[in-house]
Amino acid sequence: MTAYDEFNAYVAEINDLLCAVNTLVWDGRTQMPPDGATTRGLQVATLSRLAQERFTSDHMGRLLDAADAATQGEDADGYRARAVRSAREAYAVARRIPLALVGELAERKSISQQAWEEAKQRNDFGHFAPHLAAMVRLNRELAGAIGYTAHPYDALLLQYEPGMTAARLATLFTELKAGILPLLLRIAAAPAVDAAFLTLPSAPEQQRAFGLAIAQAFGYDLRRGRLDVAAHPFEVSFTRQDVRITTRYQPTYLPGAIFGIFHETGHALYEQGVDPALTRSAHTTDFLGLYAVGGASFGTHESQSRLWENQIGRSRAFWQCHFPRLQQMFPDQLAGVDAERFYRAVNRVQPSLIRVEADEITYNLHIMLRVEIEMGLMDGSIAVEDLPRIWNAKMREYLGVIPPTDSQGVLQDIHWSTGYFGSFPTYTIGNVMAAQFMEAAQRDLPGLDQTLATGDYQPLLAWLTENIYRHGRAYSPEELLMRVTGSGLQAGPYLAHLQTKFGELYPQ
Ligand code: ZN
């Protein structure tokens, strides 16, 4: 066996451990009886620790040295050289994080999450505050261990979005706000869109049938995938051969499951499209051992869920094509509704309190608010006890609404209770990247609009697979953007998308 093969085989074993973790997590969120949670948490912790120990071992260091020497002189842009380089970087970072810190974060997670659930139920931020303060302290330690020059948030971002920094985010957000806030003001003054028919009772089996039919039309391969029910929907993959999605059916809200399935399908297409040669290779392993992620970054992955959910699934062309089928499946709810009315209803903009229910425009404001708070918590300019006040002030400034309770405000998301800081920006980065990729696809495929209008998604999927999916995590998000679109992350195409679409939906 060559030095490179030895390195790759060892990484593949770590990958197998992480796949076992994923199976346990998938089971825990879809099948497991509720009382299994405690022991399942221990099982996941054990396997994660084994993977982490293997990855940070001296043996891994020796394999890396040998593989590095063996690939000297090879094409620096090739998969092999890239695999060694990125593994080296991740290894260096992982070795800097003390095991005691990883352990403390993991230990605190369940108790902090429980405190958050109780606090949310009782509308009592004070009950959660000490736990949150501990998570903030541990994350500041984590940032210090990983290392940074300008801002502690930069170190945390490295886990989700390599290359992104607090300073670049601040610039991006300023540009986005300059485009979005005036648009939102205009929309808020417009008459409300009729969407009452969306909340009529609709059978979950029918929701599933429609969502799955579209997922397959997009290209989701059910011989390598499946759809299950989960309270908090997600996509999880083991290899490109087994990529699963989940959703949640709301009996009196038709769009929830439908767009949820489109979203998770986008994530799944990315994973199913990875080059078979990269399966069980260094390119499909989560090197930091904190999360399993297959694509270039969380933001890149999110760009694909957003592309299929919003750029395709929420387009007029899509509903002109598919509404007749939906109406056939929901004849009572959609009697008297046509494709145009449905399109307008599922794109109505409405500032709301809850992020996960937000529309394409206000969603980003929910994210910016959270990210600005996270940055403040990490650099010490915001104190935990001031959070409810700061949260409400930002909600008023950005969305014009003030949460009546902390449960509907600062306590609404699970993320901080589990100790995860730094992943929120990837949702907005995903939106921005999706528009850039879509613009590049339009440029490369002149007849794209016509094929999409007929419900033929093969040309788009083939283009995305060729340019993005097949590479797995071989390229950094910025490299991938440069290769595919010719420029780095840019707000322009996304703002143009919002302005064109919503300018027409809400004329002045
Ligand atoms: Zn997603």
Side-chain angles (χ1 to χ4, degrees):
M1 207 191 261
T2 69
Y4 180 84
D5 290 341
E6 235 180 293
F7 151 75
N8 208 36
Y10 188 72
V11 169
E13 281 181 12
I14 299 174
N15 203 17
D16 289 344
L17 280 171
L18 294 173
C19 285
V21 170
N22 280 355
T23 316
L24 292 176
V25 169
W26 173 83
D27 172 78
R29 292 172 69 175
T30 57
Q31 315 285 327
M32 189 181 67
D35 283 2
T38 321
T39 42
R40 178 55 47 87
L42 296 172
Q43 294 150 5
V44 167
T46 300
L47 285 177
S48 304
R49 183 171 44 78
L50 289 177
Q52 182 78 9
E53 280 171 6
R54 291 198 135 228
F55 182 60
T56 54
S57 67
D58 295 340
H59 181 61
M60 178 75 194
R62 285 189 291 274
L63 290 175
L64 268 170
D65 286 341
D68 202 358
T71 50
Q72 286 302 318
E74 281 185 14
D75 176 12
D77 199 41
Y79 281 164
R80 282 162 55 105
R82 284 180 169 276
V84 176
R85 242 186 355 253
S86 65
R88 242 192 195 304
E89 285 163 20
Y91 178 75
V93 170
R95 294 266 286 192
R96 290 203 291 271
I97 304 173
L99 280 177
L101 180 56
V102 177
E104 200 179 344
L105 268 164
E107 268 167 41
R108 280 193 173 271
K109 191 169 152 175
S110 60
I111 178 169
S112 152
Q113 208 175 313
Q114 200 186 333
W116 166 74
E117 266 165 33
E118 291 160 359
K120 190 176 174 183
Q121 218 159 35
R122 305 195 319 228
N123 186 35
D124 179 4
F125 178 75
H127 180 64
F128 175 52
H131 299 276
L132 180 56
M135 284 304 190
V136 169
R137 176 179 58 78
L138 290 171
N139 267 276
R140 288 176 67 166
E141 272 178 46
L142 180 63
I146 292 172
Y148 58 88
T149 43
H151 196 286
Y153 202 59
D154 298 351
L156 300 180
L157 283 167
L158 189 64
Q159 304 169 92
Y160 310 96
E161 202 62 26
M164 186 46 66
T165 63
R168 287 188 65 200
L169 278 177
T171 309
L172 178 70
F173 286 0
T174 304
E175 280 174 39
L176 288 176
K177 278 185 212 164
I180 289 173
L181 288 174
L183 189 58
L184 188 58
L185 265 180
R186 215 182 83 194
I187 291 171
V193 173
D194 166 30
F197 53 87
L198 295 179
T199 50
L200 295 174
S202 51
E205 313 83 67
Q206 294 287 85
Q207 297 183 24
R208 182 180 202 275
F210 181 81
L212 202 52
I214 298 299
Q216 287 178 280
F218 285 168
Y220 184 44
D221 177 0
L222 288 180
R223 285 195 52 82
R224 301 186 284 136
R226 53 179 287 141
L227 169 62
D228 293 275
V229 176
H232 304 282
F234 61 100
E235 171 271 335
V236 63
S237 71
F238 305 89
T239 66
R240 70 188 294 282
Q241 300 304 110
D242 184 354
V243 181
R244 306 179 190 189
I245 58 174
T246 59
T247 199
R248 167 172 74 111
Y249 303 101
Q250 295 161 266
T252 55
Y253 189 59
L254 180 57
I258 290 178
F259 288 103
I261 291 172
F262 297 176
H263 181 98
E264 302 308 335
T265 297
H267 283 300
L269 292 174
Y270 199 158
E271 298 291 325
Q272 287 193 335
V274 171
D275 186 336
L278 295 182
T279 294
R280 288 191 96 249
S281 84
H283 285 301
T284 52
T285 297
D286 157 34
F287 285 118
L288 289 176
L290 294 170
Y291 296 91
V293 57
S297 67
F298 271 51
T300 317
H301 230 289
E302 197 65 14
S303 78
Q304 295 314 300
S305 57
R306 305 271 160 164
L307 188 148
W308 289 99
E309 178 194 353
N310 292 334
Q311 301 267 352
I312 301 300
R314 274 184 224 272
S315 67
R316 178 177 274 125
F318 180 88
W319 288 109
Q320 276 170 349
C321 182
H322 297 289
F323 182 77
R325 183 186 200 161
L326 188 76
Q327 194 171 35
Q328 252 171 27
M329 296 178 79
F330 298 94
D332 300 337
Q333 300 86 337
L334 299 175
V337 179
D338 61 13
E340 181 65 19
R341 249 182 92 195
F342 191 81
Y343 166 67
R344 287 179 177 269
V346 297
N347 281 296
R348 75 195 181 289
V349 177
Q350 203 169 47
S352 68
L353 299 173
I354 309 297
R355 169 182 65 88
V356 294
E357 288 161 12
D359 53 77
E360 251 186 285
I361 289 189
T362 58
Y363 193 94
N364 301 292
L365 298 167
H366 286 277
I367 293 304
M368 292 183 220
L369 169 161
R370 284 159 178 75
V371 173
E372 286 161 5
I373 287 176
E374 287 192 340
M375 288 184 191
L377 287 171
M378 286 308 129
D379 67 22
S381 61
I382 292 179
V384 166
E385 61 265 27
D386 294 332
L387 278 191
R389 184 180 56 75
I390 293 172
W391 184 283
N392 292 350
K394 281 185 183 285
M395 281 297 288
R396 199 175 106 159
E397 185 190 346
Y398 295 164
L399 290 155
V401 289
I402 303 173
T405 65
D406 287 340
S407 300
Q408 292 165 281
V410 67
L411 287 170
Q412 71 179 256
D413 294 302
I414 193 172
H415 300 56
W416 294 340
S417 76
T418 58
Y420 298 153
F421 290 82
S423 69
F424 277 126
T426 64
Y427 298 121
T428 283
I429 292 170
N431 281 331
V432 172
M433 283 175 97
Q436 288 185 264
F437 286 137
M438 206 54 203
E439 195 182 73
Q442 299 276 9
R443 181 197 62 203
D444 289 359
L445 305 169
L448 184 60
D449 282 341
Q450 287 90 305
T451 53
L452 291 177
T454 62
D456 176 8
Y457 304 102
Q458 266 321 105
L460 177 62
L461 179 64
W463 184 89
L464 291 166
T465 304
E466 170 64 23
N467 289 288
I468 302 169
Y469 303 167
R470 72 184 173 96
H471 299 302
R473 51 182 298 150
Y475 298 103
S476 73
E478 199 73 3
E479 281 176 318
L480 194 66
L481 270 174
M482 287 299 294
R483 285 173 61 102
V484 180
T485 72
S487 63
L489 192 70
Q490 285 196 343
Y494 181 53
L495 286 174
H497 158 75
L498 292 180
Q499 257 135 17
T500 306
K501 178 172 177 177
F502 293 95
E504 188 270 333
L505 281 169
Y506 293 91
Q508 245 161 345

